[in-house]
Amino acid sequence: MAIPDFRTTDATAVRASVALLDGPFDLTRPTPCTGWTLADLLAHMTVQHLGFAAAARGEAWPLERWAPRPLGADPAADYAAAADEVIAAFAAVDLETPIALAELAPAPLPAWRGIGAHAIDYVVHGWDVATTLGLAWELPEEVLRQALPIAESVPGTTTAFAPALPAPADASTMDRILLRLGRVPR
């Protein structure tokens, strides 16, 4: 069986999420992530990029470092820099290399699995940001088709996402992903 390579899917979703932050935005706006403002979500997304990048480079990133930090003076620039960092780290890692993701799993995972987990997170968190800002979230269908099986592999109940919701037969690929991960498409 060929090892799946989710790097293009991940980079496409991450770059699209960066593009959403081009312009003024209100960090106090509530997001689809229950109890989170846009500031909370961006802080989470930024530290996730940094943690996954460190893991891909083989650096230690203990559990306490996964906690979001307060945003800096230019959250969009900080987020974009972290996004560039994770994309570069993923591009350089061998897909079979074990990477330690303390927040995700107790034992190291093959890099391809970690990249897949990151990719689905950014397909969904990109939608969260777009929804918060009232912007369209459009990813290429081939990206969504590669992300859907990742979403379907997430247990129906998990601490990372809300419980799965049923998808109607005619749901789009993006809506299937969102519903599987407990989001209500708008």
Side-chain angles (χ1 to χ4, degrees):
M1 176 176 100
I3 295 172
D5 187 345
F6 299 116
R7 290 182 283 207
T8 299
T9 293
D10 181 74
T12 301
V14 169
R15 285 187 180 111
S17 72
V18 170
L20 293 170
L21 301 173
D22 183 29
F25 48 87
D26 178 0
L27 290 169
T28 66
R29 292 186 69 135
T31 70
C33 304
T34 304
W36 281 12
T37 64
L38 183 56
D40 299 326
L41 180 57
L42 287 178
H44 165 76
M45 293 167 67
T46 300
V47 78
Q48 291 284 308
H49 287 329
L50 297 173
F52 274 82
R57 290 189 302 261
E59 298 168 10
W61 193 269
L63 190 56
E64 61 272 7
R65 289 191 67 193
W66 290 93
R69 300 173 195 129
L71 296 174
D74 189 347
D78 293 343
Y79 178 74
D84 288 343
E85 191 173 323
V86 78
I87 290 168
F90 284 168
V93 72
D94 180 283
L95 293 175
E96 294 185 70
T97 298
I99 61 173
L101 297 164
E103 188 182 66
L104 191 63
L109 304 168
W112 69 269
R113 284 193 190 273
I115 296 167
H118 190 267
I120 197 61
D121 218 23
Y122 285 84
V123 167
V124 175
H125 280 328
W127 177 86
D128 292 332
V129 172
T131 298
T132 300
L133 296 175
L135 300 171
W137 179 242
E138 297 178 11
L139 293 173
E141 185 63 25
E142 62 268 17
V143 166
L144 297 176
R145 280 195 307 270
Q146 191 171 33
L148 181 59
I150 303 168
E152 291 172 339
S153 72
V154 173
T157 56
T158 175
T159 58
F161 296 102
L165 301 168
D170 63 344
S172 69
T173 310
M174 185 68 207
D175 285 356
R176 287 182 181 290
I177 291 167
L178 293 171
L179 290 162
R180 177 65 190 176
L181 301 177
R183 301 298 199 276
V184 178
R186 303 197 201 301

